[in-house]
Amino acid sequence: GGDVSSETNSEIGSLLEGKSGINITPMGVGGEAVARGPRYVLHPIHSTFRRNWDLSLAVLIFYNTLLVPYRIAYDVDAAEGSFWYVFDYFADALFMVDVALNFRTGYVDNDTSEVVMAPPRIAKQYAKTWLLLDIASAFPFSDVIEPFYRGGEEEADSGSFGNDGIQRVNKL
């Protein structure tokens, strides 16, 4: 005699994996089984990585909510090559990675309360909800457009596209 709940989970897991391709992993108190989705799709509730990722992004968003108004008000940019200059680009890169990661994170369907882990449905839902806003806030438009705006000339003292406060507000 082994543990009944372990045997039951093993039997359920074998049965479901054999017939439907669903992976079952015992989790929680009492050996409850939780269905996992396709490979490389993060669970929106039970993923420790996703929770830590979201907390890290929350810190970066807080950083931006403090820094962006300051930079706009005082027309201050991080000196090229400085720690803060590199940190700002690192943060921008993380926000762009987040856009890609959102395509691989399940969601909870509001109508059925079902956790959706199918990549095509995830992509469709993300495209209908946050995708455009996430791209608009993560993509460094000012860095891409500024060279064209300046026409190859040295940056003017004020009014250049790179110092435009409205572009910085996109991050918020």
Side-chain angles (χ1 to χ4, degrees):
D3 182 41
V4 175
S5 64
S6 295
E7 290 175 9
T8 304
N9 281 340
S10 178
E11 291 171 9
I12 292 171
S14 298
L15 178 67
L16 289 175
E17 284 179 0
K19 294 188 177 184
S20 66
I22 297 174
N23 298 320
I24 300 292
T25 302
M27 293 180 68
V29 179
E32 303 137 8
V34 176
R36 290 190 317 204
R39 193 171 181 175
Y40 305 118
V41 173
L42 299 172
H43 195 283
I45 300 167
H46 299 294
S47 172
T48 302
F49 171 79
R50 187 62 205 208
R51 183 179 21 245
N52 291 336
W53 177 263
D54 288 342
L55 286 172
S56 299
L57 289 182
V59 169
L60 291 176
I61 290 169
F62 181 71
Y63 162 79
N64 278 328
T65 60
L66 295 176
L67 189 68
V68 169
Y70 171 80
R71 288 187 175 171
I72 291 170
Y74 296 104
D75 196 23
V76 176
D77 276 329
E80 192 167 333
S82 71
F83 170 80
W84 294 112
Y85 182 83
V86 173
F87 184 79
D88 286 346
Y89 276 98
F90 177 72
D92 288 346
L94 290 181
F95 285 121
M96 286 187 270
V97 168
D98 186 55
V99 171
L101 193 58
N102 284 330
F103 280 105
R104 302 304 291 178
T105 302
Y107 69 95
V108 178
D109 186 293
N110 291 332
D111 297 330
T112 64
S113 299
E114 163 193 20
V115 174
V116 177
M117 298 291 284
R121 287 182 63 192
I122 293 168
K124 184 178 178 183
Q125 177 69 15
Y126 184 47
K128 289 188 326 187
T129 55
W130 291 100
L131 178 61
L132 291 178
L133 182 63
D134 284 352
I135 289 172
S137 62
F139 189 78
F141 289 104
S142 60
D143 293 336
V144 173
I145 297 172
E146 182 179 4
F148 298 105
Y149 181 76
R150 288 191 327 208
E153 297 174 14
E154 288 298 315
E155 188 172 333
D157 290 335
S158 65
S160 75
F161 203 82
N163 287 331
D164 188 1
I166 293 172
Q167 285 298 330
R168 291 189 212 136
V169 172
N170 276 340
K171 289 184 180 186
L172 295 178

